[in-house]
Amino acid sequence: MIEHWTDLAACQGVDPELFFPVSASGPALDQVAEAKQVCASCPVVSDCLAWALRAGESAGVWGGTTPDERRYLRLKPLPAAPAWH
């Protein structure tokens, strides 16, 4: 039974260390790319990213993004709500 979006995550059963590289250069870049590949096939990637942004997650690959990418997303202004007439 599905109780939470994480039950559908493509990363279920993948070694969690893949999503937490120890640096941001060298072999860690390959690790980030591999983690992002898992995220690219995930049916709940947007839920994961939304959670990471709300939680202020500062480490690891979440929702197909790195910590630097999430910091950038948090700095961007939110789009204006649509005007309904």
Side-chain angles (χ1 to χ4, degrees):
M1 174 166 33
I2 298 169
E3 295 185 13
H4 193 263
W5 64 264
T6 56
D7 295 336
L8 299 172
C11 60
Q12 293 293 316
V14 177
D15 184 351
E17 288 189 23
L18 174 66
F19 299 91
F20 293 92
V22 295
S23 73
S25 62
L29 295 178
D30 293 334
Q31 187 177 344
V32 167
E34 189 177 340
K36 285 184 170 192
Q37 275 188 308
V38 173
C39 297
S41 68
C42 185
V44 292
V45 67
S46 59
D47 296 293
C48 182
L49 176 57
W51 178 87
L53 290 171
R54 281 192 313 273
E57 189 60 60
S58 63
V61 174
W62 293 90
T65 62
T66 63
D68 286 341
E69 292 165 339
R70 289 191 303 279
R71 275 191 288 280
Y72 173 76
L73 290 173
R74 283 191 289 270
L75 291 174
K76 287 177 48 174
L78 294 174
W84 299 99
H85 299 335

